Amino acid sequence: MAASLLLAQNAWALACPNVPLEERLEDADAAFVGRVTERRVAADAVVYRMLVDQPVKGPVGREVEVRSGEPLVDDLDEPVVLDEALGVLARLEGARLVTESCLLTDPGALLSTSDEVRGNGIKVVVGLGLLALVLAYSVRRLRARQRQLAQGGS
């Protein structure tokens, strides 16, 4: 009996496709870490006003309004809590940000995924430049030494 209750409870839990966060972030038009400050029901959607703690991608200001067709819930089907940090992925529909419960994520995971290593290209260019300088200096010294040996040996 207890097992059937547990299974029934999990059947109602949020079922989202198993897509890596990197892919979801790439597909999103906007992403940020923010906190819900207000929730209101509009004619065709639930509108969440959010204070943005950390923009990650797209046209995101200090405060944004995000629309959802249904009330947003976490992975346990609990409604999102006011003033609790959330990682939010959204798409643009016209000028409006639209999201859904499956596009919410852990804020730490979102930030770590978006903080990819940057500057690798410039590091390679600087490294190759330094290598070229060292090789040019070494060749110059070798030629000067060969000239000196040739003159001293004559």
Side-chain angles (χ1 to χ4, degrees):
M1 180 75 170
S4 64
L5 287 175
L6 285 174
L7 290 175
Q9 182 180 11
N10 287 338
W12 291 103
L14 187 62
C16 298
N18 190 13
V19 178
L21 183 55
E22 294 85 5
E23 289 181 32
R24 291 188 291 154
L25 180 59
E26 188 176 310
D27 292 341
D29 296 318
F32 61 91
V33 172
R35 301 167 187 278
V36 176
T37 58
E38 177 188 342
R39 183 180 73 207
R40 68 180 189 280
V41 178
D44 59 343
V46 181
V47 180
Y48 294 86
R49 179 174 289 274
M50 297 185 165
L51 182 63
V52 176
D53 295 327
Q54 178 74 43
V56 172
K57 178 181 178 182
V60 179
R62 181 68 180 136
E63 285 189 32
V64 295
E65 282 194 353
V66 180
R67 302 172 79 76
S68 177
E70 297 180 5
L72 296 176
V73 295
D74 63 16
D75 57 349
L76 298 175
D77 271 346
E78 297 293 325
V80 294
V81 180
L82 292 177
D83 201 35
E84 183 177 294
L86 288 172
V88 180
L89 304 170
R91 63 185 180 280
L92 284 171
E93 289 183 3
R96 294 180 172 172
L97 289 175
V98 178
T99 194
E100 58 190 58
S101 296
C102 288
L103 294 178
L104 301 180
T105 188
D106 176 66
L110 179 59
L111 290 175
S112 67
T113 300
S114 69
D115 287 341
E116 62 189 39
V117 178
R118 295 185 181 136
N120 281 341
I122 193 69
K123 290 176 186 175
V124 168
V125 170
V126 169
L128 289 174
L130 287 172
L131 178 63
L133 285 172
V134 168
L135 288 175
Y137 177 74
S138 297
V139 168
R140 185 172 173 231
R141 296 244 354 217
L142 282 173
R143 287 184 181 163
R145 187 167 185 188
Q146 285 176 348
R147 271 187 256 129
Q148 186 181 29
L149 289 174
Q151 290 173 355
S154 331

